[in-house]
Amino acid sequence: MRSVSTGKAVLVTAPGEHRLTVHEPRRPDTGEALVRVHAVGICGSDREVYQGNRPKGYVRYPLIPGHEWSGTVDAIGAGVPPALVGRKVVGEGFRNCQVCDRCHAGETTLCTAGYEETGFTRPGAMAATLTLPARLLHVLPYEADLTAAALLEPAACIAAAALKAAALPGERVAVVGTGTLGMFAVQFLTAGSPAELLVVGTRPDRAELSRTFGATDFRTKEQVLPEDFDVVIETAGSASAARTAASLLRRGGRLVLTGIPAPGAEGLDPTDLVVRQLEVHTVFGAPPTAWAHTVRVFGAGLLDPLPLVTHELPLAEFPAAIELVGSGDPKVGKVLLRP
């Protein structure tokens, strides 16, 4: 392997405790690749890891966080195509077993061998380098902007939702939620040529950006909301958002839930779901098909993540970045760390 210099990494030793530590690149084993990290995004789940709110079994301390990232392949192990060295890449987080029935069906996020994911139970990308199975990598175009590409992990989660929604050209579609996921949902649905695309959220400041991405209407949930939509994707992560999303649908409409409400939240009314014959799907992570779709759409110029980035900080400012993500400040969008 080529010589890779020592760098720094964020190490969360326990909930609420972290330090900046020396990072020694791990030589890639057979089937692995070593990636020089360009940028790593922070989302609410990273904040959960730091605060200790991540559900049991879905985090393992001590831990280098970071599951949203982009970078360049610096070295490879045996059995990996040499042409991969020097390529810009992003990578899947779920470390699936590849042999169970769910993995063979392409549903790697449902792997029956148990949950393992980069940045949660395996070392993540808040470090100078990341070593992972090369099979998880998705190669980007040579001209790709790596800062923009650092947002392709959340985009892939929404791609999974868009694929499940299966919106047809000319259908009426809506998005509930105006965060990073919501804005990606608008872009994916716009690419499908809807007749109408409504965005519902709590941040009026997102109205202009929503329309830039293709929305035809923007409303807050306090306003009168139309009905009879064919497809609604919920991205806000609250039980009330899920109920709002369901209320927008026509009978027989398709609902995709991507947010994870707090434990104990009151959910959808099963009577309403049955009587209206709503088709309900959920998404947790992104399988390979969603990743491949995301990279294709990004490479075709139909996905524009850069307007969502508002802050770029060095690794040493990890605590400040975590605070920004949880601040509730409408001026804070996607926060990136730069190793």
Side-chain angles (χ1 to χ4, degrees):
M1 85 179 232
R2 301 190 318 180
S3 175
V4 181
S5 60
T6 298
K8 297 290 185 179
V10 172
L11 182 68
V12 177
T13 55
E17 300 177 8
H18 85 284
R19 68 175 185 268
L20 197 65
T21 184
V22 174
H23 173 73
E24 293 287 348
R26 182 173 71 78
R27 180 183 296 272
D29 203 344
T30 299
E32 292 186 324
L34 183 150
V35 176
R36 177 166 29 91
V37 178
H38 173 81
V40 54
I42 297 180
C43 80
S45 57
D46 295 304
R47 186 175 168 84
E48 289 176 354
V49 166
Y50 185 59
Q51 293 181 329
N53 299 327
R54 186 85 171 160
K56 185 178 179 181
Y58 289 86
V59 65
R60 189 179 301 136
Y61 302 99
L63 174 71
I64 298 175
H67 61 287
E68 304 178 3
W69 58 269
S70 64
T72 304
V73 177
D74 258 6
I76 56 171
V80 179
L84 199 59
V85 176
R87 292 304 303 268
K88 297 175 179 177
V89 294
V90 290
E92 299 175 32
F94 283 80
R95 305 293 187 92
N96 54 296
C97 75
Q98 304 182 78
V99 295
C100 72
D101 61 342
R102 292 302 87 208
C103 284
H104 281 302
E107 298 175 334
T108 55
T109 59
L110 300 177
C111 176
T112 59
Y115 172 78
E116 294 285 349
E117 186 176 4
T118 299
F120 296 107
T121 63
R122 300 289 185 93
M126 291 187 191
T129 67
L130 173 66
T131 302
L132 73 167
R135 63 182 173 80
L136 298 178
L137 297 178
H138 290 262
V139 178
L140 301 171
Y142 287 100
E143 70 279 7
D145 184 321
L146 281 175
T147 300
L151 277 69
L152 292 188
E153 191 278 340
C157 295
I158 292 302
L163 290 171
K164 286 191 174 185
L168 299 174
E171 287 193 312
R172 300 177 69 229
V173 301
V175 174
V176 176
T178 51
T180 298
L181 298 181
M183 294 299 96
F184 277 135
V186 173
Q187 294 184 63
F188 276 111
L189 290 173
T190 295
S193 302
E196 181 179 347
L197 203 173
L198 167 70
V199 176
V200 179
T202 59
R203 294 179 53 180
D205 61 294
R206 287 291 203 180
E208 183 178 351
L209 186 59
S210 297
R211 290 191 170 92
T212 298
F213 287 148
T216 58
D217 191 8
F218 181 96
R219 304 191 190 191
T220 63
K221 61 182 182 179
E222 288 75 24
Q223 294 177 289
V224 175
L225 299 178
E227 299 175 349
D228 293 332
F229 283 85
D230 300 289
V231 169
V232 179
I233 296 179
E234 176 276 325
T235 68
S238 69
S240 63
R243 290 191 290 270
T244 296
S247 72
L248 295 171
L249 286 164
R250 63 167 171 80
R251 294 192 70 202
R254 307 187 297 283
L255 172 64
V256 185
L257 304 174
T258 71
I260 303 177
E266 294 186 7
L268 301 174
D269 180 357
T271 300
D272 180 61
L273 298 181
V274 173
V275 171
R276 295 171 61 208
Q277 298 184 60
L278 298 183
E279 186 178 321
V280 182
H281 298 274
T282 60
V283 168
F284 177 65
T289 51
W291 272 99
H293 181 56
T294 300
V295 171
R296 281 195 303 269
V297 172
F298 178 66
L302 299 175
L303 201 62
D304 186 10
L306 276 181
L308 303 175
V309 178
T310 58
H311 296 76
E312 296 183 55
L313 304 172
L315 280 183
E317 295 189 34
F318 169 74
I322 289 291
E323 287 303 313
L324 279 171
V325 170
S327 67
D329 186 342
K331 295 181 181 179
V332 177
K334 176 56 68 173
V335 178
L336 299 182
L337 291 178
R338 299 290 294 272

